[in-house]
Amino acid sequence: MRALAHLPMQTGDPAAEYEGFIGWVLSLMTTVGEVGVGLAVLIETFFPPIPSEAILPGAGFLAYAGRMNFWWALFAATLAGLIGGWIWYGLGAALGRNRTRWIFEKMPLVEVADFDKAEAFFSRWGGVAVFTGRCVPLVRSFISIPAGIERMALWKFSLYTFLGSLIWNTIWIGLGFAFGPAIEPVLERWSGVISNLVLIAIAGLIVWFVIVRLRKRARLAHEATTTEENTDDAAEDRPR
């Protein structure tokens, strides 16, 4: 395996070599550079349906190809995770539990259950929850909120968040780098077909996510209405 440090930065546009969506993503990441990797991670912090796991291996592959610096990409992704954690932490500390939970109730496609799970996870495990939560989808977006609500020491929160993000990002960027020799010939031949499959998979995941959330909200609303009607009926049937 080639050395990770001081990788030679090759010129050229990956879009010219790879077709479709994959070529576009690699070209965009090459143009924006390591900052783009960080932005992708930061966006995922606030919009979980876009998984960073789909972006980080691409950064590792570009590092293998010499179009991106492995260490700077890892640093950008980890710093973005820390910044996202700080933002959620600050919101939790500023708003408190009740107002934060109320906001979750009003946010589209976000469930109060997500907040409740993160809060219960943090209440049980504390700093360990912050550290391990960085490696769990959805939880890593919201685990910072109860930490802020409980006013966990900021230095401790930052340390756990940084280390958890560092490990998670190293795994995914490292996989893209390590499997670069195997990925490169496959992309050269099948990038167009793989691009279509990736787009279908992403669209399917987003549609599935939206449908599941909307159906669950509709079911909960129906159950709440039914409970309220039963309560009213029971009150009417009471002897006066």
Side-chain angles (χ1 to χ4, degrees):
M1 182 182 293
R2 68 182 69 179
L4 297 182
H6 307 298
L7 292 173
M9 301 302 291
Q10 298 177 2
T11 59
D13 185 357
E17 303 173 20
Y18 309 124
E19 301 176 4
F21 175 74
I22 290 177
W24 177 79
V25 170
L26 294 179
S27 178
L28 180 63
M29 291 180 67
T30 302
T31 302
V32 180
E34 293 82 359
V35 174
V37 180
L39 288 175
V41 173
L42 189 60
I43 290 173
E44 188 225 7
T45 303
F46 300 97
F47 191 65
I50 299 181
S52 59
E53 292 88 338
I55 302 297
L56 296 178
F61 174 74
L62 289 176
Y64 159 79
R67 294 191 175 97
M68 184 173 291
N69 184 282
F70 180 94
W71 298 113
W72 279 116
L74 178 60
F75 175 77
T78 304
L79 180 62
L82 179 59
I83 292 174
W86 280 340
I87 294 174
W88 283 118
Y89 177 97
L91 288 174
L95 298 176
R97 183 183 186 277
N98 293 335
R99 282 183 290 183
T100 302
R101 200 173 189 278
W102 180 85
I103 291 175
F104 267 71
E105 292 177 351
K106 304 303 179 182
M107 290 175 64
L109 303 180
V110 174
E111 296 180 358
V112 178
D114 296 330
F115 171 79
D116 293 337
K117 290 176 183 177
E119 185 179 41
F121 190 38
F122 178 81
S123 297
R124 182 174 182 181
W125 299 104
V128 175
V130 176
F131 176 74
T132 59
R134 302 306 304 175
C135 302
V136 181
L138 286 180
V139 173
R140 66 170 167 264
S141 294
F142 303 131
I143 193 62
S144 305
I145 299 175
I149 292 174
E150 297 298 328
R151 301 298 178 94
M152 179 182 187
L154 184 58
W155 70 267
K156 185 182 295 186
F157 169 80
S158 300
L159 178 63
Y160 284 132
T161 300
F162 183 85
L163 292 177
S165 299
L166 179 63
I167 293 173
W168 185 247
N169 295 331
T170 299
I171 291 173
W172 286 99
I173 296 177
L175 284 173
F177 187 95
F179 286 95
I183 295 173
E184 192 167 28
V186 174
L187 290 183
E188 288 176 352
R189 184 171 183 180
W190 301 104
S191 59
V193 174
I194 296 175
S195 293
N196 293 333
L197 293 176
V198 169
L199 286 174
I200 292 173
I202 292 175
L205 285 173
I206 293 176
V207 170
W208 173 82
F209 180 86
V210 172
I211 290 176
V212 168
R213 290 295 168 110
L214 291 178
R215 289 183 63 181
K216 189 170 183 178
R217 284 200 167 194
R219 178 174 58 82
L220 292 175
H222 175 72
E223 291 176 354
T225 301
T226 302
T227 301
E228 184 178 348
E229 291 176 350
N230 291 338
T231 301
D232 293 341
D233 292 340
E236 292 177 358
D237 293 338
R238 290 174 188 166
R240 299 181 180 179

